[in-house]
Amino acid sequence: MRIRTAGVIAAAGLLMLGVAACGGSGEPAATPSKDKGNGKLVLWTDPTRAPVLKPFAEAFGKENGVTVEVKEISENQQQTFITASQQGSGPDIMVGAHDWIGNMVQNGAIDPVQLTAEQKAAFHPNAIKAVTFNGQIYGAPYAMENVALIRNTDLVPTAPATIEDLIKTGKDLKAAKKVQEILCVPFGAAGDVYHTYPLFSAAGGSLFGTTASGDPDPSKVTVNTPESIAALEKMKALGEKGEGAIKTSIGNENGIPSFVQKKCAFLISGPWSMNDVKKAGFGYDISAVPGFAAGGQAKPFLGVQAFYVASKGKSKVLAQEFVANYVTNKDVAMALYKADPRPAALTAAADAVKSLDPNAEKFVQAGANGIPMPAIPAMGAIWGPMANAEVAVVKGGDAKTAAEAATKAITAEINK
């Protein structure tokens, strides 16, 4: 993704006038923190967001009389952070995905973030739900993401109402030699649980049961329930020995390019694909992934990007203020959106984005029925075995056998 930093310096200048104002709250700016820790605030993030955050970090540092260092971590951000935290060499603030939370909490790497009721109300409810773990808020969310159905409107003017409608349209277009593939959904030789989850969930499949409070329950793996086995049967029917809509030959490396090159009229992907789609030169639209005619609604995973306060940081008071009272500002949210155009979690920023980019709101609407990706540590045990199960059925294997093998592997990993 290309980094666009235009306007960031100007925004940082504006923030200097009211550096800690909560986004749109109307409250007076917070006074600079008197607890300056060790006089330095260290923030870790990825290479895309680092250049955007630096001007805001510098403004915060000047306001509080401290040095703020923004460090790029290019690979394995979560594990690098946890390891450094345990060694006492980690940052004060970490930026990353919400599904890291369970593992980071389990490893004692992050503290809850102190947001007021007014601040919490300023965010999209799904964003707050995603960063809530064991009843506590562990991150300040700034962006949301989910997959949707992106279609070539030159070929398909109207969104399909069901998966069956999508398959029929794709097959008709393929028969007419207008496309080469019925559907482009990144799957690949190794499988892709994330991109196919809307299809699996629409067919009644699930990964975990829930606790009394509605959170995912790692003691209740549901991959081999009758409903999930039936969902895998549906995926088998869409696979290489069935309709040919899900294929191991289409993965992350060629899914988006195939759509852009008009090799398929339908693509299941997220906001990260839009820079390429916009340049393709044909009409497009974004809608929710449809459900099956005789099934429920598709439920994509909802992902949230957030700022976290490191529990072993050397400037924890400053870190809390930066995360809770500074990056929740609309100007920061807008700058981050411009660098990486994913729907903003802050409602005021999301409203401002609507006029700039209607696609962002369409992705939010497409994720209205989505579920936050489970943030429990046990989710890490799901990816490999579940992907293996999906590859097996897509290639024509028995759904019950695949589900049982996945469940056995998942349970063994959880119980280690």
Side-chain angles (χ1 to χ4, degrees):
M1 300 174 192
R2 292 177 177 81
I3 298 169
R4 300 193 297 271
T5 57
V8 175
I9 300 298
L14 289 173
L15 284 176
M16 286 291 290
L17 300 176
V19 68
C22 301
S25 69
E27 295 179 358
T31 57
S33 172
K34 291 183 174 61
D35 186 341
K36 298 181 180 180
N38 66 349
K40 184 177 182 180
L41 190 67
V42 180
L43 183 152
W44 285 6
T45 186
D46 63 42
T48 299
R49 286 170 278 216
V52 181
L53 287 171
K54 282 180 180 178
F56 295 103
E58 290 170 2
F60 179 85
K62 290 177 182 177
E63 187 76 10
N64 287 277
V66 297
T67 300
V68 183
E69 176 188 347
V70 178
K71 182 178 179 180
E72 296 181 10
I73 306 296
S74 58
E75 296 180 352
N76 301 319
Q77 289 100 338
Q78 181 187 178
Q79 191 54 52
T80 300
F81 167 60
I82 290 174
T83 300
S85 175
Q86 292 170 341
Q87 295 173 347
S89 58
D92 301 292
I93 297 167
M94 186 68 200
V95 184
H98 86 272
D99 57 302
W100 298 1
I101 291 176
N103 191 37
M104 292 193 296
V105 171
Q106 181 173 274
N107 282 279
I110 57 173
D111 284 342
V113 174
Q114 308 304 322
L115 297 180
T116 66
E118 187 173 5
Q119 284 175 315
K120 285 185 278 189
F123 289 101
H124 192 287
N126 279 340
I128 289 295
K129 182 178 181 181
V131 296
T132 301
F133 183 75
N134 289 342
Q136 296 195 79
I137 294 175
Y138 276 94
Y142 78 85
M144 304 187 297
E145 61 189 20
N146 54 266
V147 299
L149 182 69
I150 306 168
R151 74 181 191 281
N152 181 331
T153 55
D154 293 353
L155 295 174
V156 188
T158 305
T162 64
I163 292 293
E164 288 85 352
D165 289 340
L166 184 158
I167 297 300
K168 182 181 185 304
T169 300
K171 290 175 72 174
D172 289 346
L173 289 170
K174 187 176 179 180
K177 300 189 183 303
K178 293 183 178 181
V179 298
Q180 297 177 23
E181 304 291 350
I182 296 170
L183 166 68
C184 285
V185 52
F187 189 71
D192 192 318
V193 177
Y194 177 77
H195 281 94
T196 56
Y197 194 77
L199 305 175
F200 180 70
S201 62
S206 62
L207 304 176
F208 296 105
T210 56
T211 63
S213 61
D215 295 322
D217 187 343
S219 70
K220 300 175 182 176
V221 177
T222 55
V223 171
N224 65 339
T225 62
E227 294 81 5
S228 291
I229 292 171
L232 287 173
E233 288 283 3
K234 288 275 193 181
M235 291 188 68
K236 178 179 178 177
L238 295 176
E240 295 173 351
K241 299 295 177 66
E243 300 287 7
I246 304 175
K247 301 171 72 172
T248 56
S249 59
I250 299 177
N252 283 301
E253 71 285 352
N254 64 345
I256 295 171
S258 293
F259 179 73
V260 169
Q261 295 163 15
K262 303 181 183 179
K263 293 180 180 178
C264 51
F266 299 106
L267 169 70
I268 294 179
S269 190
W272 52 88
S273 67
M274 295 314 298
N275 283 341
D276 292 326
V277 172
K278 289 175 184 177
K279 297 173 185 175
F282 55 76
Y284 66 86
D285 203 359
I286 301 161
S287 57
V289 176
F292 290 93
Q297 296 176 318
K299 298 175 182 178
F301 280 134
L302 302 179
V304 168
Q305 296 290 320
F307 288 78
Y308 304 105
V309 174
S311 59
K312 295 178 175 63
K314 297 177 175 64
S315 300
K316 292 174 67 170
V317 173
L318 273 176
Q320 280 284 352
E321 180 154 336
F322 185 88
V323 171
N325 297 325
Y326 193 73
V327 298
T328 53
N329 185 285
K330 175 185 170 184
D331 293 310
V332 179
M334 288 298 293
L336 286 165
Y337 169 80
K338 290 174 183 177
D340 186 8
R342 307 186 190 210
L346 193 69
T347 304
D351 290 342
V353 165
K354 286 180 184 178
S355 60
L356 300 174
D357 183 7
N359 292 333
E361 178 62 20
K362 289 181 180 180
F363 273 106
V364 173
Q365 293 174 357
N369 296 315
I371 59 172
M373 188 182 296
I376 55 176
M379 188 63 189
I382 289 285
W383 300 114
M386 191 62 194
N388 291 339
E390 291 192 350
V391 168
V393 299
V394 163
K395 288 184 173 182
D398 180 69
K400 188 174 190 300
T401 300
E404 293 292 355
T407 302
K408 182 178 179 180
I410 291 166
T411 304
E413 182 65 25
I414 291 173
N415 293 333
K416 271 186 178 179

